[in-house]
mmCIF file of all heavy atoms in Angstrom:
data_model
loop_
_atom_site.group_PDB
_atom_site.id
_atom_site.type_symbol
_atom_site.label_atom_id
_atom_site.label_comp_id
_atom_site.label_asym_id
_atom_site.label_seq_id
_atom_site.Cartn_x
_atom_site.Cartn_y
_atom_site.Cartn_z
ATOM 1 N N ALA A 5 -5.454 7.908 -2.859
ATOM 2 C CA ALA A 5 -4.978 8.157 -1.485
ATOM 3 C C ALA A 5 -3.757 7.362 -1.091
ATOM 4 O O ALA A 5 -2.822 7.840 -0.571
ATOM 5 C CB ALA A 5 -6.151 7.906 -0.521
ATOM 6 N N PHE A 6 -3.855 6.064 -1.489
ATOM 7 C CA PHE A 6 -2.624 5.221 -1.238
ATOM 8 C C PHE A 6 -1.430 5.729 -1.951
ATOM 9 O O PHE A 6 -0.282 5.723 -1.401
ATOM 10 C CB PHE A 6 -2.972 3.788 -1.610
ATOM 11 C CG PHE A 6 -3.497 2.892 -0.481
ATOM 12 C CD1 PHE A 6 -4.842 2.850 -0.307
ATOM 13 C CD2 PHE A 6 -2.645 2.235 0.311
ATOM 14 C CE1 PHE A 6 -5.320 2.111 0.824
ATOM 15 C CE2 PHE A 6 -3.122 1.488 1.338
ATOM 16 C CZ PHE A 6 -4.464 1.391 1.581
ATOM 17 N N GLU A 7 -1.634 6.111 -3.217
ATOM 18 C CA GLU A 7 -0.493 6.590 -4.039
ATOM 19 C C GLU A 7 0.149 7.921 -3.397
ATOM 20 O O GLU A 7 1.329 8.040 -3.345
ATOM 21 C CB GLU A 7 -0.932 6.899 -5.485
ATOM 22 C CG GLU A 7 0.174 7.246 -6.391
ATOM 23 C CD GLU A 7 -0.278 7.300 -7.840
ATOM 24 O OE1 GLU A 7 -1.421 6.883 -8.153
ATOM 25 O OE2 GLU A 7 0.517 7.716 -8.624
ATOM 26 N N ILE A 8 -0.724 8.841 -2.968
ATOM 27 C CA ILE A 8 -0.232 10.080 -2.407
ATOM 28 C C ILE A 8 0.486 9.739 -1.052
ATOM 29 O O ILE A 8 1.688 10.295 -0.885
ATOM 30 C CB ILE A 8 -1.414 11.013 -2.172
ATOM 31 C CG1 ILE A 8 -1.987 11.540 -3.458
ATOM 32 C CG2 ILE A 8 -0.911 12.232 -1.343
ATOM 33 C CD1 ILE A 8 -3.299 12.218 -3.322
ATOM 34 N N VAL A 9 -0.056 8.978 -0.184
ATOM 35 C CA VAL A 9 0.585 8.633 1.095
ATOM 36 C C VAL A 9 1.829 7.814 0.889
ATOM 37 O O VAL A 9 2.912 8.148 1.470
ATOM 38 C CB VAL A 9 -0.351 7.820 1.943
ATOM 39 C CG1 VAL A 9 0.328 7.411 3.238
ATOM 40 C CG2 VAL A 9 -1.695 8.644 2.337
ATOM 41 N N GLY A 10 1.787 6.804 -0.022
ATOM 42 C CA GLY A 10 3.016 6.044 -0.301
ATOM 43 C C GLY A 10 4.126 6.895 -0.900
ATOM 44 O O GLY A 10 5.267 6.849 -0.376
ATOM 45 N N ASN A 11 3.862 7.691 -1.923
ATOM 46 C CA ASN A 11 4.929 8.483 -2.556
ATOM 47 C C ASN A 11 5.488 9.611 -1.639
ATOM 48 O O ASN A 11 6.658 9.950 -1.806
ATOM 49 C CB ASN A 11 4.395 9.087 -3.827
ATOM 50 C CG ASN A 11 4.198 7.999 -4.894
ATOM 51 O OD1 ASN A 11 4.696 6.897 -4.836
ATOM 52 N ND2 ASN A 11 3.368 8.368 -5.925
ATOM 53 N N GLY A 12 4.648 10.026 -0.732
ATOM 54 C CA GLY A 12 5.085 11.100 0.068
ATOM 55 C C GLY A 12 5.796 10.729 1.375
ATOM 56 O O GLY A 12 6.292 11.543 2.092
ATOM 57 N N HIS A 13 5.854 9.355 1.650
ATOM 58 C CA HIS A 13 6.415 8.941 2.936
ATOM 59 C C HIS A 13 7.975 8.932 2.777
ATOM 60 O O HIS A 13 8.497 8.449 1.797
ATOM 61 C CB HIS A 13 5.921 7.619 3.299
ATOM 62 C CG HIS A 13 5.896 7.346 4.792
ATOM 63 N ND1 HIS A 13 7.123 7.144 5.510
ATOM 64 C CD2 HIS A 13 4.904 7.277 5.670
ATOM 65 C CE1 HIS A 13 6.771 6.992 6.783
ATOM 66 N NE2 HIS A 13 5.429 7.128 6.935
ATOM 67 N N GLU A 14 8.625 9.394 3.766
ATOM 68 C CA GLU A 14 10.096 9.512 3.780
ATOM 69 C C GLU A 14 10.781 8.190 4.117
ATOM 70 O O GLU A 14 11.966 8.038 3.853
ATOM 71 C CB GLU A 14 10.598 10.601 4.739
ATOM 72 C CG GLU A 14 10.220 10.368 6.150
ATOM 73 C CD GLU A 14 10.687 11.444 7.054
ATOM 74 O OE1 GLU A 14 11.000 12.540 6.597
ATOM 75 O OE2 GLU A 14 10.677 11.274 8.298
ATOM 76 N N LYS A 15 10.008 7.241 4.701
ATOM 77 C CA LYS A 15 10.612 5.946 5.148
ATOM 78 C C LYS A 15 10.460 4.904 4.023
ATOM 79 O O LYS A 15 9.351 4.526 3.757
ATOM 80 C CB LYS A 15 9.975 5.545 6.401
ATOM 81 C CG LYS A 15 10.766 4.526 7.209
ATOM 82 C CD LYS A 15 10.194 4.374 8.646
ATOM 83 C CE LYS A 15 10.953 3.461 9.484
ATOM 84 N NZ LYS A 15 10.390 3.271 10.790
ATOM 85 N N PRO A 16 11.515 4.423 3.428
ATOM 86 C CA PRO A 16 11.354 3.469 2.277
ATOM 87 C C PRO A 16 10.627 2.195 2.605
ATOM 88 O O PRO A 16 9.827 1.802 1.853
ATOM 89 C CB PRO A 16 12.833 3.136 1.964
ATOM 90 C CG PRO A 16 13.606 4.304 2.396
ATOM 91 C CD PRO A 16 12.921 4.814 3.635
ATOM 92 N N SER A 17 10.791 1.702 3.867
ATOM 93 C CA SER A 17 10.114 0.403 4.213
ATOM 94 C C SER A 17 8.530 0.698 4.258
ATOM 95 O O SER A 17 7.730 -0.205 3.887
ATOM 96 C CB SER A 17 10.550 -0.082 5.509
ATOM 97 O OG SER A 17 10.509 0.920 6.493
ATOM 98 N N VAL A 18 8.144 1.788 4.734
ATOM 99 C CA VAL A 18 6.705 2.217 4.774
ATOM 100 C C VAL A 18 6.136 2.459 3.394
ATOM 101 O O VAL A 18 5.032 2.007 3.077
ATOM 102 C CB VAL A 18 6.471 3.387 5.711
ATOM 103 C CG1 VAL A 18 4.939 3.712 5.761
ATOM 104 C CG2 VAL A 18 7.009 3.116 7.087
ATOM 105 N N GLN A 19 6.935 3.107 2.557
ATOM 106 C CA GLN A 19 6.553 3.259 1.220
ATOM 107 C C GLN A 19 6.296 1.971 0.485
ATOM 108 O O GLN A 19 5.278 1.766 -0.204
ATOM 109 C CB GLN A 19 7.687 4.002 0.407
ATOM 110 C CG GLN A 19 7.805 5.433 0.580
ATOM 111 C CD GLN A 19 8.813 6.066 -0.309
ATOM 112 O OE1 GLN A 19 9.605 5.433 -0.976
ATOM 113 N NE2 GLN A 19 8.850 7.444 -0.381
ATOM 114 N N LYS A 20 7.177 0.985 0.715
ATOM 115 C CA LYS A 20 7.024 -0.325 0.095
ATOM 116 C C LYS A 20 5.748 -1.001 0.485
ATOM 117 O O LYS A 20 4.996 -1.512 -0.250
ATOM 118 C CB LYS A 20 8.267 -1.210 0.368
ATOM 119 C CG LYS A 20 8.193 -2.589 -0.284
ATOM 120 C CD LYS A 20 9.449 -3.416 0.064
ATOM 121 C CE LYS A 20 9.445 -4.718 -0.625
ATOM 122 N NZ LYS A 20 8.241 -5.543 -0.353
ATOM 123 N N LEU A 21 5.478 -0.901 1.813
ATOM 124 C CA LEU A 21 4.266 -1.551 2.374
ATOM 125 C C LEU A 21 3.040 -0.957 1.834
ATOM 126 O O LEU A 21 2.128 -1.676 1.333
ATOM 127 C CB LEU A 21 4.270 -1.384 3.937
ATOM 128 C CG LEU A 21 3.053 -1.790 4.697
ATOM 129 C CD1 LEU A 21 2.790 -3.317 4.474
ATOM 130 C CD2 LEU A 21 3.105 -1.405 6.157
ATOM 131 N N ILE A 22 2.944 0.398 1.791
ATOM 132 C CA ILE A 22 1.713 1.066 1.307
ATOM 133 C C ILE A 22 1.564 0.792 -0.238
ATOM 134 O O ILE A 22 0.432 0.557 -0.626
ATOM 135 C CB ILE A 22 1.846 2.587 1.569
ATOM 136 C CG1 ILE A 22 1.900 2.843 3.099
ATOM 137 C CG2 ILE A 22 0.768 3.347 0.904
ATOM 138 C CD1 ILE A 22 2.208 4.307 3.422
ATOM 139 N N LEU A 23 2.671 0.832 -0.964
ATOM 140 C CA LEU A 23 2.508 0.610 -2.444
ATOM 141 C C LEU A 23 2.239 -0.895 -2.748
ATOM 142 O O LEU A 23 1.552 -1.119 -3.728
ATOM 143 C CB LEU A 23 3.791 1.083 -3.129
ATOM 144 C CG LEU A 23 4.001 2.601 -3.064
ATOM 145 C CD1 LEU A 23 5.308 2.965 -3.663
ATOM 146 C CD2 LEU A 23 2.871 3.402 -3.647
ATOM 147 N N ASP A 24 2.682 -1.778 -1.912
ATOM 148 C CA ASP A 24 2.265 -3.174 -2.093
ATOM 149 C C ASP A 24 0.755 -3.381 -1.918
ATOM 150 O O ASP A 24 0.152 -4.079 -2.635
ATOM 151 C CB ASP A 24 2.993 -4.097 -1.094
ATOM 152 C CG ASP A 24 4.420 -4.272 -1.520
ATOM 153 O OD1 ASP A 24 4.867 -3.971 -2.683
ATOM 154 O OD2 ASP A 24 5.262 -4.840 -0.701
ATOM 155 N N VAL A 25 0.227 -2.734 -0.866
ATOM 156 C CA VAL A 25 -1.266 -2.801 -0.551
ATOM 157 C C VAL A 25 -1.940 -2.158 -1.808
ATOM 158 O O VAL A 25 -3.000 -2.650 -2.287
ATOM 159 C CB VAL A 25 -1.575 -2.099 0.670
ATOM 160 C CG1 VAL A 25 -3.135 -2.030 0.876
ATOM 161 C CG2 VAL A 25 -0.899 -2.793 1.939
ATOM 162 N N LYS A 26 -1.472 -1.015 -2.247
ATOM 163 C CA LYS A 26 -2.084 -0.314 -3.406
ATOM 164 C C LYS A 26 -2.160 -1.195 -4.617
ATOM 165 O O LYS A 26 -3.148 -1.259 -5.339
ATOM 166 C CB LYS A 26 -1.249 0.967 -3.701
ATOM 167 C CG LYS A 26 -1.856 1.775 -4.919
ATOM 168 C CD LYS A 26 -0.804 2.741 -5.384
ATOM 169 C CE LYS A 26 -0.686 2.665 -6.878
ATOM 170 N NZ LYS A 26 0.353 3.392 -7.490
ATOM 171 N N MET A 27 -1.079 -1.942 -4.879
ATOM 172 C CA MET A 27 -0.948 -2.816 -6.039
ATOM 173 C C MET A 27 -2.109 -3.865 -5.923
ATOM 174 O O MET A 27 -2.810 -4.213 -6.936
ATOM 175 C CB MET A 27 0.346 -3.487 -6.141
ATOM 176 C CG MET A 27 1.436 -2.600 -6.738
ATOM 177 S SD MET A 27 3.060 -3.430 -6.702
ATOM 178 C CE MET A 27 2.618 -4.866 -7.711
ATOM 179 N N ASP A 28 -2.265 -4.438 -4.727
ATOM 180 C CA ASP A 28 -3.320 -5.480 -4.553
ATOM 181 C C ASP A 28 -4.722 -4.914 -4.797
ATOM 182 O O ASP A 28 -5.550 -5.588 -5.384
ATOM 183 C CB ASP A 28 -3.214 -6.030 -3.114
ATOM 184 C CG ASP A 28 -2.000 -6.970 -2.932
ATOM 185 O OD1 ASP A 28 -1.568 -7.565 -3.913
ATOM 186 O OD2 ASP A 28 -1.508 -7.032 -1.748
ATOM 187 N N ILE A 29 -4.874 -3.672 -4.341
ATOM 188 C CA ILE A 29 -6.228 -3.034 -4.555
ATOM 189 C C ILE A 29 -6.462 -2.725 -6.040
ATOM 190 O O ILE A 29 -7.553 -2.972 -6.586
ATOM 191 C CB ILE A 29 -6.292 -1.697 -3.763
ATOM 192 C CG1 ILE A 29 -6.232 -2.025 -2.230
ATOM 193 C CG2 ILE A 29 -7.607 -0.947 -4.124
ATOM 194 C CD1 ILE A 29 -6.116 -0.759 -1.421
ATOM 195 N N GLU A 30 -5.458 -2.289 -6.727
ATOM 196 C CA GLU A 30 -5.547 -2.077 -8.207
ATOM 197 C C GLU A 30 -5.821 -3.432 -8.913
ATOM 198 O O GLU A 30 -6.423 -3.368 -9.945
ATOM 199 C CB GLU A 30 -4.244 -1.511 -8.711
ATOM 200 C CG GLU A 30 -4.069 -0.036 -8.343
ATOM 201 C CD GLU A 30 -2.743 0.505 -8.839
ATOM 202 O OE1 GLU A 30 -1.759 -0.207 -8.872
ATOM 203 O OE2 GLU A 30 -2.738 1.750 -9.208
ATOM 204 N N GLY A 31 -5.355 -4.505 -8.365
ATOM 205 C CA GLY A 31 -5.624 -5.867 -8.942
ATOM 206 C C GLY A 31 -7.018 -6.367 -8.663
ATOM 207 O O GLY A 31 -7.317 -7.485 -9.068
ATOM 208 N N GLY A 32 -7.806 -5.650 -7.924
ATOM 209 C CA GLY A 32 -9.252 -6.054 -7.744
ATOM 210 C C GLY A 32 -9.497 -6.546 -6.377
ATOM 211 O O GLY A 32 -10.650 -6.959 -6.009
ATOM 212 N N THR A 33 -8.470 -6.523 -5.449
ATOM 213 C CA THR A 33 -8.715 -6.999 -4.062
ATOM 214 C C THR A 33 -9.305 -5.949 -3.211
ATOM 215 O O THR A 33 -8.985 -4.782 -3.338
ATOM 216 C CB THR A 33 -7.242 -7.395 -3.495
ATOM 217 O OG1 THR A 33 -6.657 -8.373 -4.324
ATOM 218 C CG2 THR A 33 -7.432 -8.062 -2.095
ATOM 219 N N SER A 34 -10.200 -6.320 -2.271
ATOM 220 C CA SER A 34 -10.760 -5.380 -1.384
ATOM 221 C C SER A 34 -9.727 -4.906 -0.394
ATOM 222 O O SER A 34 -8.680 -5.515 -0.211
ATOM 223 C CB SER A 34 -11.944 -5.939 -0.605
ATOM 224 O OG SER A 34 -11.450 -7.044 0.244
ATOM 225 N N LEU A 35 -9.941 -3.712 0.257
ATOM 226 C CA LEU A 35 -9.000 -3.190 1.134
ATOM 227 C C LEU A 35 -8.667 -4.076 2.286
ATOM 228 O O LEU A 35 -7.420 -4.295 2.654
ATOM 229 C CB LEU A 35 -9.490 -1.796 1.685
ATOM 230 C CG LEU A 35 -8.578 -1.097 2.665
ATOM 231 C CD1 LEU A 35 -7.129 -0.848 2.105
ATOM 232 C CD2 LEU A 35 -9.176 0.195 3.182
ATOM 233 N N HIS A 36 -9.644 -4.653 2.952
ATOM 234 C CA HIS A 36 -9.358 -5.521 4.102
ATOM 235 C C HIS A 36 -8.610 -6.779 3.736
ATOM 236 O O HIS A 36 -7.741 -7.301 4.473
ATOM 237 C CB HIS A 36 -10.621 -5.889 4.874
ATOM 238 C CG HIS A 36 -11.499 -6.927 4.267
ATOM 239 N ND1 HIS A 36 -12.453 -6.716 3.300
ATOM 240 C CD2 HIS A 36 -11.410 -8.249 4.398
ATOM 241 C CE1 HIS A 36 -12.982 -7.934 2.979
ATOM 242 N NE2 HIS A 36 -12.441 -8.798 3.653
ATOM 243 N N GLU A 37 -8.827 -7.325 2.491
ATOM 244 C CA GLU A 37 -8.116 -8.460 2.053
ATOM 245 C C GLU A 37 -6.694 -8.117 1.722
ATOM 246 O O GLU A 37 -5.741 -8.899 1.984
ATOM 247 C CB GLU A 37 -8.767 -9.092 0.824
ATOM 248 C CG GLU A 37 -10.111 -9.752 1.003
ATOM 249 C CD GLU A 37 -10.836 -10.113 -0.250
ATOM 250 O OE1 GLU A 37 -10.575 -9.529 -1.315
ATOM 251 O OE2 GLU A 37 -11.664 -11.058 -0.198
ATOM 252 N N ALA A 38 -6.440 -6.920 1.147
ATOM 253 C CA ALA A 38 -5.115 -6.465 0.837
ATOM 254 C C ALA A 38 -4.311 -6.247 2.144
ATOM 255 O O ALA A 38 -3.120 -6.609 2.280
ATOM 256 C CB ALA A 38 -5.149 -5.163 0.082
ATOM 257 N N LEU A 39 -4.952 -5.673 3.164
ATOM 258 C CA LEU A 39 -4.317 -5.483 4.477
ATOM 259 C C LEU A 39 -4.026 -6.806 5.178
ATOM 260 O O LEU A 39 -2.974 -7.002 5.854
ATOM 261 C CB LEU A 39 -5.236 -4.652 5.371
ATOM 262 C CG LEU A 39 -5.374 -3.176 4.887
ATOM 263 C CD1 LEU A 39 -6.397 -2.490 5.837
ATOM 264 C CD2 LEU A 39 -4.111 -2.434 4.789
ATOM 265 N N ALA A 40 -4.892 -7.813 4.975
ATOM 266 C CA ALA A 40 -4.768 -9.096 5.603
ATOM 267 C C ALA A 40 -3.524 -9.820 5.064
ATOM 268 O O ALA A 40 -2.977 -10.689 5.715
ATOM 269 C CB ALA A 40 -6.024 -9.950 5.423
ATOM 270 N N LYS A 41 -3.032 -9.462 3.914
ATOM 271 C CA LYS A 41 -1.852 -10.029 3.353
ATOM 272 C C LYS A 41 -0.556 -9.543 3.999
ATOM 273 O O LYS A 41 0.538 -10.011 3.688
ATOM 274 C CB LYS A 41 -1.756 -9.728 1.862
ATOM 275 C CG LYS A 41 -2.824 -10.481 1.000
ATOM 276 C CD LYS A 41 -2.677 -10.156 -0.498
ATOM 277 C CE LYS A 41 -3.744 -10.840 -1.304
ATOM 278 N NZ LYS A 41 -3.689 -10.536 -2.729
ATOM 279 N N GLN A 42 -0.704 -8.564 4.852
ATOM 280 C CA GLN A 42 0.485 -7.966 5.608
ATOM 281 C C GLN A 42 0.215 -8.102 7.181
ATOM 282 O O GLN A 42 0.103 -7.187 7.858
ATOM 283 C CB GLN A 42 0.568 -6.499 5.275
ATOM 284 C CG GLN A 42 0.609 -6.134 3.800
ATOM 285 C CD GLN A 42 1.919 -6.574 3.174
ATOM 286 O OE1 GLN A 42 2.911 -6.849 3.839
ATOM 287 N NE2 GLN A 42 1.935 -6.652 1.793
#
């Protein structure tokens, strides 16, 4: 879901934010912890 939303967003800064959170989740971080980093 993060990948679809991130890749489909037309605003580069939002893409970067969403994909950064996605990377943290892929690394084993829970969603709320990944969001807390932003």
Side-chain angles (χ1 to χ4, degrees):
F6 267 91
E7 189 170 350
I8 293 170
V9 175
N11 290 341
H13 209 289
E14 61 182 14
K15 200 171 184 180
S17 54
V18 180
Q19 281 187 350
K20 182 179 183 303
L21 172 63
I22 295 171
L23 295 176
D24 282 350
V25 174
K26 178 197 134 189
M27 282 177 58
D28 287 332
I29 295 171
E30 287 178 325
T33 306
S34 64
L35 177 57
H36 80 272
E37 290 173 336
L39 296 176
K41 292 180 180 179
Q42 308 288 344

